Amino acid sequence: MFAAYIATAIGGMTLASLPPGNLTVFWLPAGVGVAILRVLGQRGAILVAVASFTANGLMMGDQGQVLLATLLSALVDSLQSWLGWALLGRHWDTLVGAPVHDPRRLRALASICLIPPLATVWLLPLIHDLAGTAGPLTAHAFLERTSMLLLADTSGLFLVVPVIVAFSAGWPRMRLPAALALLAVAQVAVSAIDPLLAPLALLGLALMAFIFQFPGAAAGNLVCATVMVVQAAFDLGPLRGQGTAQAIVVLNLTIIGVGIAVLYMGLLQDEQHRMRANLRDEVERRTRQLEERSRALAASNEELEQFAYIISHDLRQPLRMIASYVKLLDTRLKERLAEDEHTFFDYVRSGASRMDQMLVSLLEYSRVGRSGEPMVQTDCRAQVDEALQYLAPAIQEAQAEIRIEGDWPILTASPNEMVRLFQNLIGNALKYRAPDRAPLITVSARPTDGGWRFAVSDNGIGIDADQFDRLFKVFQRLHPAEYADGAGVGLAVCRKIVERHGGNIEVESRPGQGSTFAFTLP
């Protein structure tokens, strides 16, 4: 950093030697001094003073008066860097954390770049006048030199301070140095072809802002400005032959204006990149939460199913014992019991039988998905035929007509569960048939978007619409036990099977006109 300060100072003073003299476009040491203090703290002010004294001494010589002017100029440069460093620390949180559109960000940058030069550069013409190292200091010359120094130091701070802010968290990408080198080479090449083509470097600055966000914009501005200073020092590039104050001022203001636009573009890209990263992190976090909750829910369901299996399986043995001993007592005490007491025993046996039936149904419900049977290619029509074989006695008793319609697919499914699904739905159609007509049951299949729709329709007693939400719940019966046997678990089993296969089940029905239970499978 010491060498960088001396090199940029010599380049700036070389440019200032061009006619009419004391003029330079950028005074990069103003920003380099702030960078030194940012790294070293207050003790960096001594290093800045030594670097400034060395650079001025190399350019101006070591005569007595010149030496005094060099020493005083070095102290002024050190004071300016110290002020810039203090203001940078004061506004650091705003520069780093404020939103892109927050006007405080631009105000903070303006104060860091303007206040230190305003407080110090007016001393330099006075120092050189007192030391006799410059021409006569008239009021006009004082204003002109002070204005040029103010623009130069402001530009130097403006070019370096954003780089300090951008790279405070470390070098952003390994590709950035190569891109900066390519930008410098392109600027030199374009200027060598024709100085009027130099503004094409703005395209490179825009690309740096879009690709590398704010660090690329800040570093790109600095590289372009440095190349321009070096070119001017060797009488090359767009400043070749430009010695008038007007040309330098216009170029200075142009670079600052373009630099602000490029920095803003970089900030916008930086914010967009950060928002995408935050969105990606949030999506990943929510995904992990959903996965964790899914695993917890699966574990909870597994425990509940295991509990239901244990309860339904293990409770049947003592229940059968109760029913057996009640029957034994009723037989032995048959002659001693009154008629109503026999009725009480009948209630006990009936309740035990009913509870045993409920436990069997609960056991069936808990076994869905637990049989260990793999999903295989299954001919759905063959599963319907197998279900009809099991239901053959009930079909014959009810004198029901069964119709099979549609094109039946081969799907990846559990064969036994598909048989149970069709058996339950067709069995319900047989149970809840209308007393005044023979059952007509239609089982159909047809393709739909992304899957297949299966339906079991009947002409039975139908269901009220306000009862639909109870149909697929465990132990929910819509009709008394005297109408049809069962525990109210069959449709709950159907829903569980369908959902396990990735589908859904629904019902359409009107009282007295029959019902249609339809389910879809992928």
Side-chain angles (χ1 to χ4, degrees), residues 11-12 36 40 108 168 170 224 252 265 278 325 328 340 347 349 391 411 462 464 466 473 497:
I36 292 173
L40 300 179
S168 60
C224 287
N252 213 322
M265 290 169 55
N278 292 340
Y325 277 100
L328 181 60
D340 58 343
Y347 287 156
R349 286 197 303 270
L391 294 170
L411 301 178
D464 289 330
D466 57 358
K473 295 180 180 179
I497 292 174

Side-chain angles (χ1 to χ4, degrees), residues 150-349:
L150 178 63
L151 279 174
D153 288 20
T154 298
S155 297
L157 288 166
F158 171 76
L159 290 169
V160 177
V161 168
V163 175
I164 298 173
V165 174
F167 292 90
S168 60
W171 197 264
R173 297 185 187 177
M174 294 301 296
R175 293 183 298 161
L176 181 54
L180 292 173
L182 181 62
L183 177 64
V185 171
Q187 185 177 355
V188 172
V190 169
S191 299
I193 296 173
D194 191 333
L196 295 177
L197 298 179
L200 290 176
L202 299 179
L203 177 60
L205 288 176
L207 291 175
M208 294 293 293
F210 276 107
I211 297 174
F212 299 101
Q213 294 88 50
F214 184 66
N221 281 340
L222 179 59
V223 166
C224 287
T226 303
V227 169
M228 198 169 295
V229 169
V230 173
Q231 287 177 321
F234 291 95
D235 197 24
L236 300 171
L239 287 182
R240 182 172 57 193
Q242 299 293 329
T244 65
Q246 182 180 4
I248 291 179
V249 170
V250 170
L251 181 59
N252 213 322
L253 295 177
T254 301
I255 292 299
I256 291 178
V258 170
I260 292 175
V262 171
L263 289 177
Y264 187 74
M265 290 169 55
L267 286 172
L268 288 175
Q269 290 299 311
D270 195 43
E271 183 172 288
Q272 186 180 33
H273 181 77
R274 185 166 55 253
M275 290 174 65
R276 286 199 300 266
N278 292 340
L279 180 60
R280 183 173 59 252
D281 293 342
E282 181 66 16
V283 170
E284 291 177 354
R285 185 181 68 84
R286 294 293 181 90
T287 301
R288 287 194 299 270
Q289 287 181 346
L290 288 175
E291 290 175 350
E292 292 173 359
R293 291 177 181 177
S294 296
R295 286 193 293 269
L297 182 60
S300 177
N301 287 339
E302 179 71 18
E303 292 176 358
L304 288 174
E305 290 177 358
Q306 182 69 17
F307 176 75
Y309 177 82
I310 293 173
I311 292 296
S312 58
H313 183 272
D314 294 351
L315 284 184
R316 293 191 67 201
Q317 180 61 32
L319 189 61
R320 285 195 296 267
M321 184 181 296
I322 293 172
S324 297
Y325 277 100
V326 167
K327 183 177 181 180
L328 181 60
L329 284 173
D330 187 28
T331 302
R332 288 190 176 184
L333 300 176
K334 184 175 183 180
E335 302 298 332
R336 306 180 196 176
L337 298 178
E339 184 177 351
D340 58 343
E341 291 171 335
H342 283 291
T343 303
F344 296 157
F345 275 105
D346 289 338
Y347 287 156
V348 174
R349 286 197 303 270

Side-chain angles (χ1 to χ4, degrees), residues 20 36 58 66 111 114 163 256 324 352 363 380 405 408 459 501:
I36 292 173
L58 291 174
V66 173
S111 64
L114 283 174
V163 175
I256 291 178
S324 297
L363 183 62
C380 295
E405 299 179 351
W408 288 80
N459 61 344
H501 285 74

Side-chain angles (χ1 to χ4, degrees), residues 113-172:
C113 297
L114 283 174
I115 293 177
L118 284 172
T120 57
V121 296
W122 58 274
L123 293 171
L124 295 175
L126 297 177
I127 290 173
H128 287 283
D129 182 62
L130 292 174
T133 57
L137 188 63
T138 63
H140 180 269
F142 174 77
L143 291 175
E144 184 181 52
R145 292 175 185 176
T146 301
S147 299
M148 292 297 102
L149 292 170
L150 178 63
L151 279 174
D153 288 20
T154 298
S155 297
L157 288 166
F158 171 76
L159 290 169
V160 177
V161 168
V163 175
I164 298 173
V165 174
F167 292 90
S168 60
W171 197 264

